[in-house]
Each structure stands twice: as structure tokens, then as C-alpha cells.
């Protein structure tokens, strides 16, 4: 710290970076009151010069050379908001190398290179703060790391992608088409630069990896997470789910049983009475079970300029306080541990996973078909809880038959679907969704 101020170096002035610049520059009195010194946006870099001029950032605050920020002796804290895992990784490493703590919202970077970056930060005695990387404006990282620090976390169910939740909510409420609502989500600033990261489930998987690291102390490899997105969720399945009292949401699932974790991202049916069913639009929520606290739910805006900037500036304030006090105020990376454990997380096998399932079969409407389907399910110890068959349009044509199961083993479910899809009376591959 020089001249009684904390100086920020900011990489990226897009949707989120622009929000951070606006928040820092817009409330000088608030920061002075909270820190006792000025908080200043000292240098910023963005490839698009229009972004800076729109924000009223002067030429003297701008640079096009990353080292003018990472190696600038006046910069106290570096904020990385460029996204991706290439330039962002270099920025974080160079900043740590120059002795500067870093704030990032980059879930892809942390999920992919977090092990290496956190370990380097620890060696250098520095912090990487990442509250905005999961759940946007929800103080989820702090809650898992600090508020739930006394618990063994056994389950987290998260709605962690605002774009997907916005799309599914509008498909549910208005019967809108997937592509129309995706375009709206992009326009509103919820989506990633490449929206296939959102709708394909990758963004949720990155966030799940970070959440799992906080809950278990071990950062999973991304290939340990089973990922399905929402591109194959149809209005027909949404409508069947509605008829049976469920909504469909893209969920990040972390379940820990006998030291083994099930890490999955998939669209799931959630009963209307579950708290997560009421999480709509771009909102995010995480439903956590801790062995002492029981169930809790954290809810709020998970994407967008203002909410994400709120979390980033909270991290900046923490690091600024730490700098000003000369001490370490920000706790370690994971629950009760000094850092993420380099040992990989043990993952449950399919044989150990069980749950309730939704099937939509496309089967011919003629005598004996239902009995054939039921026989395969019965042979695989899968018990039917509910069944709906919609009326046929023409005799002998395929009709949707929807079944909800009682608790069944996932390995048996996959085996049964394979057998059913090979029956001559079944026209299309079966749709399978999990039920929470
Ligand atoms: N694309 C992300 C989302 C932004 O839709 O949730 C926040 O990480």
C-alpha cells in the first residue's frame, strides 16, 4: 500500500469487469468508510477500447500491456476477469509471482488449474479469492468454508447456472422454445461467451468442482464429474413432469457416502414442494446438508453484472483489510484444511448410485406392450411408482409412456433401458431423467 490507498489492477472490462469498475468508482465514500483508506481503480486492461470509454475510465488508467498491472509496484490487488484458462492463468501466475493477491470469478480456471494455482499462492504466502466463481452474488464460498466449518457435508444440490435456469423456467411457464430463450439469456448478460458451456453443463461442472473442493478439501478432476446438459430437455418432458407435480432443473449434485463422492450434473425432476423447485429465472441456489446443521439453502442472483460485481468487490475488501492490517484475515481454501488436498477425490461407482427415475418410452400402443416394458423393469428390480400413457393418434403408432420409479440402482436402470430400446415395439431411444 502506498499513499494511504488500496490500488486495484483490473483485467477485463466486459459485463462483469465493467460492473466491478462501476461499483468501485461509484461509491468512494463507502470504501473510505469501510476501509479507512481510498479504494482506487488504478489500472485496467481490456482488448476493446469502447468498454473503457463507456465506463468513463481515463487513458491514464488504461494499459495494453499485462505487465503494467501484474508488475506494477503501485498495484496492491489484481482482479482477473478475462475468463478462459489461457491468458487468465498467466495473469494469475504473474500476479502471484510479483507478490500480489488475486481476485477471480473464473470457475473454468480454478476447476482446471486450481490445484497448481492454490499451491503456488500458498508457497508465496498469498491469497486467491474466488467468491464470485460459484453462485454469482450468493456468499456461497464463505458459507461453505466458514459458516459450515464445523460440519461434515454429505450433500449439496445446486442450481448453479443462471442461463439454464432462466431457459428452463421460461420453457416451463410459457412453453417457449429453447433457442428463443437462449438468445434472451445472452442479451441479459447471463450466458458465457460460448453458451454451449452453459447449456451443455460444463459451466455447472466447473462450479461443482469448486464446491466439492470446499466441501471435501479435495479438488476433483473434471473427468470425475458426469455431465449432461439441458439441450435434450423437451417441452414434452417438462409438461409430463408438470402433470405429475414436478419441475425440471439443471442440478449440480454432490453426495458423499462412506468417503466416496458422487459428482454429477444433470437435468432432474424436482417435486414442487422442494425448496429448489421455487428457484426460478436466472436465480441460483444450493441446498446443503451438513451433519450438525442439517439442511440449509442459500439463494440469490447467480449471474449478471451487479450480483457478480458485488461478490468480487467483497473479495477485494477482504484482501484490502488483510493488506491494511498486515495479517491474514481470509481463511484458508477449504473446510478445516490449510489447502486443497492433492490426493484425488474417491468417486462412487455406478453400482453404488441409486435413486428414483423418470422414463419416457416411445412404444407402440397395442396389447402386451406395457407388460413387456414392465417385465424388463421387473427383471432388473425396478419398481414402478407412477405411470401415464397419453392417447394414441393412430392405431399401432408410437405413444409416449411415462413411468416414475421407486428407488432403483442406476446400473440396473441403464441395463433395463438398453434392453427396452432393443424391443421391436419401441420406436425411439428412451428418455431417462433422474428424480430428486
Ligand atoms: N454463465 C453463467 C450462468 C454466469 O449463466 O450462470 C455465472 O457464472
Amino acid at each position: 500500500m502506498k499513499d494511504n490507498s488500496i490500488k486495484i489492477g483490473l483485467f477485463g472490462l466486459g459485463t462483469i469487469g465493467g460492473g466491478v469498475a462501476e461499483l468501485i468508482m461509484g461509491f468512494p465514500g463507502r470504501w473510505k468508510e469501510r476501509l479507512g483508506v481510498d479504494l482506487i481503480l488504478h489500472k485496467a486492461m481490456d482488448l476493446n477500447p469502447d468498454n473503457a470509454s463507456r465506463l468513463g475510465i481515463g487513458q491514464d488508467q488504461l494499459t495494453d500491456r499485462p505487465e503494467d498491472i501484474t508488475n506494477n509496484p503501485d498495484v496492491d490487488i489484481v482482479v482477473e476477469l478475462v475468463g478462459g484458462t489461457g491468458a487468465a492463468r498467466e495473469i494469475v501466475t504473474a500476479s502471484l509471482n510479483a507478490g500480489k493477491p488475486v481476485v477471480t470469478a473464473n470457475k473454468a480456471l480454478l476447476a482446471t488449474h486450481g490445484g497448481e494455482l492454490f499451491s503456488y499462492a500458498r508457497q508465496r504466502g498469498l491469497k486467491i479469492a474466488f467468491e464470485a466463481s460459484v453462485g454469482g452474488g450468493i456468499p456461497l464460498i464463505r458459507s461453505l468454508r466458514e459458516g459450515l466449518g464445523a460440519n461434515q457435508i454429505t450433500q449439496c444440490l445446486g442450481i448453479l447456472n443462471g442461463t439454464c435456469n432462466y431457459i428452463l423456467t421460461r420453457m416451463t411457464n410459457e412453453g417457449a422454445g429453447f433457442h428463443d430463450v437462449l438468445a434472451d439469456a445472452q442479451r441479459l448478460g447471463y450466458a458465457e461467451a460460448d453458451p454451449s458451456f452453459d447449456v451443455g453443463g460444463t459451466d455447472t461442472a466447473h462450479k461443482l468442482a469448486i464446491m466439492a473442493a470446499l466441501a471435501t478439501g479435495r479438488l476433483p478432476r473434471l473427468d470425475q464429474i458426469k455431465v449432461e446438459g439441458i439441450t435434450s430437455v423437451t417441452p414434452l418432458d417438462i409438461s409430463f413432469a408438470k402433470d405429475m407435480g414436478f419441475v425440471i432443473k439443471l442440478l449440480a449434485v454432490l453426495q458423499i457416502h462412506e468417503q466416496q463422492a458422487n459428482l454429477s450434473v444433470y437435468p432432474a425432476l424436482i417435486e414442487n414442494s422442494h425448496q429448489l423447485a421455487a428457484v426460478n429465472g436466472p436465480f441460483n441456489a444450493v441446498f446443503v446438508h451438513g451433519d450438525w446443521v442439517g439442511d440449509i439453502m442459500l439463494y440469490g442472483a447467480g449471474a449478471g453484472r451487479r450480483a457478480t460485481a458485488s461478490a468480487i468487490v467483497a473479495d477485494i475488501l477482504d484482501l484490502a483489510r488483510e493488506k491494511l492490517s498486515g495479517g491474514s484475515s481470509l481463511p484458508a481454501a477449504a473446510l478445516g484444511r490449510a489447502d486443497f488436498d492433492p490426493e484425488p477425490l474417491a468417486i462412487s461407482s455406478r453400482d453404488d448410485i441409486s435413486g428414483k427415475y423418470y422414463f419416457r418410452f416411445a412404444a407402440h400402443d397395442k396389447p402386451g406392450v406395457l407388460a413387456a416394458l414392465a417385465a424388463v423393469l421387473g427383471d432388473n428390480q425396478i419398481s414402478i411408482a407412477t405411470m401415464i400413457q397419453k392417447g394414441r393418434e393412430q392405431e399401432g403408432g408410437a405413444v409416449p409412456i411415462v413411468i416414475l420409479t421407486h428407488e432403483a440402482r442406476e446400473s440396473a436402470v441403464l441395463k433395463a433401458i438398453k434392453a427396452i430400446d432393443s424391443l421391436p415395439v419401441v420406436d425411439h431411444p428412451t428418455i431417462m431423467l433422474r428424480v430428486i
Side-chain angles (χ1 to χ4, degrees):
M1 184 190 43
K2 326 281 166 324
D3 69 20
N4 218 22
S5 66
I6 290 284
K7 294 193 173 70
I8 305 302
L10 174 59
F11 284 94
L13 294 169
T15 306
I16 308 303
V20 170
E22 204 181 304
L23 181 52
I24 292 176
M25 296 189 304
F27 299 89
R30 190 185 291 182
W31 316 132
K32 180 84 183 226
E33 192 188 315
R34 292 183 189 179
L35 294 175
V37 301
D38 293 318
L39 183 67
I40 293 171
L41 179 59
H42 185 66
K43 276 273 177 251
M45 179 172 156
D46 191 281
L47 298 178
N48 179 356
D50 293 346
N51 284 339
S53 62
R54 231 189 335 263
L55 292 158
I57 294 177
Q59 280 305 318
D60 56 323
Q61 287 168 283
L62 280 178
T63 181
D64 54 7
R65 292 165 15 107
E67 56 276 20
D68 285 348
I69 295 178
T70 55
N71 287 345
N72 188 326
D74 289 334
V75 168
D76 297 296
I77 297 168
V78 174
V79 182
E80 179 283 305
L81 299 173
V82 299
T85 55
R89 184 181 181 189
E90 285 166 25
I91 288 166
V92 173
T93 309
S95 305
L96 295 171
N97 218 8
K100 300 185 197 307
V102 177
V103 178
T104 181
N106 192 331
K107 53 263 165 164
L109 178 69
L110 298 181
T112 316
H113 300 295
E116 152 209 320
L117 294 173
F118 283 111
S119 136
Y120 187 52
R122 189 155 59 117
Q123 275 171 36
R124 307 275 299 136
L126 294 163
K127 294 278 161 55
I128 300 174
F130 52 102
E131 182 62 68
S133 64
V134 187
I138 308 170
L140 174 64
I141 303 295
R142 279 173 179 73
S143 300
L144 281 173
R145 192 177 51 198
E146 297 156 43
L148 298 177
N151 287 264
Q152 190 69 43
I153 305 294
T154 53
Q155 175 171 265
C156 297
L157 302 174
I159 294 175
L160 296 179
N161 186 272
T163 301
C164 289
N165 207 44
Y166 175 85
I167 291 173
L168 292 173
T169 302
R170 287 201 45 202
M171 286 175 75
T172 305
N173 293 349
E174 303 163 26
F178 176 84
H179 291 288
D180 297 339
V181 287
L182 170 61
D184 282 350
Q186 285 176 286
R187 193 175 46 73
L188 290 163
Y190 305 142
E192 297 301 299
D194 176 355
S196 68
F197 269 50
D198 296 296
V199 298
T202 307
D203 178 74
T204 302
H206 289 151
K207 293 165 178 168
L208 174 59
I210 296 169
M211 199 165 68
L214 286 155
T216 67
R218 293 182 177 162
L219 186 67
R221 291 190 322 269
L222 286 172
D223 64 10
Q224 293 180 307
I225 303 178
K226 294 189 268 297
V227 184
E228 290 168 35
I230 62 163
T231 49
S232 52
V233 174
T234 63
L236 186 61
D237 294 306
I238 290 177
S239 148
F240 275 123
K242 211 173 190 175
D243 289 350
M244 295 184 297
F246 293 83
V247 287
I248 298 182
K249 303 275 181 198
L250 184 69
L251 280 190
V253 177
L254 162 68
Q255 283 158 332
I256 298 168
H257 182 61
E258 293 177 356
Q259 316 279 337
Q260 300 213 312
N262 167 22
L263 292 170
S264 306
V265 174
Y266 47 66
L269 274 75
I270 303 176
E271 216 158 357
N272 286 336
S273 57
H274 194 288
Q275 287 88 334
L276 285 172
V279 177
N280 287 319
F283 284 90
N284 281 195
V286 183
F287 192 82
V288 183
H289 186 85
D291 59 351
W292 279 77
V293 74
D295 289 333
I296 63 159
M297 189 165 95
L298 300 155
Y299 167 89
R305 179 180 175 93
R306 289 172 70 96
T308 311
S310 150
I312 291 164
V313 175
D315 276 347
I316 292 174
L317 295 175
D318 265 348
L319 291 173
R321 284 188 198 103
E322 183 167 326
K323 195 127 197 149
L324 291 164
S325 69
S328 174
S329 67
L330 201 62
L335 270 186
R337 292 170 196 260
D339 205 344
F340 297 143
D341 197 320
E343 285 294 306
L345 195 57
I347 300 295
S348 329
S349 83
R350 288 264 192 199
D351 288 332
D352 297 324
I353 296 175
S354 59
K356 296 177 182 173
Y357 296 83
Y358 163 102
F359 303 132
R360 175 163 57 82
F361 303 111
H364 295 184
D365 186 7
K366 58 184 194 187
V369 170
L370 200 53
L373 300 181
V376 177
L377 296 178
D379 288 348
N380 285 285
Q381 308 301 313
I382 300 167
S383 166
I384 297 171
T386 309
M387 201 211 82
I388 304 179
Q389 182 186 326
K390 290 275 171 170
R392 61 181 163 184
E393 277 170 13
Q394 62 184 64
E395 193 166 348
V399 290
I401 298 175
V402 171
I403 283 178
L404 284 190
T405 73
H406 288 296
E407 193 91 5
R409 290 179 97 78
E410 183 141 325
S411 50
V413 163
L414 297 176
K415 199 167 147 215
I417 290 175
K418 205 165 162 203
I420 287 173
D421 285 352
S422 66
L423 294 174
V425 291
V426 170
D427 267 6
H428 302 293
T430 298
I431 302 295
M432 181 273 271
L433 295 167
R434 292 154 182 98
V435 181
I436 291 295

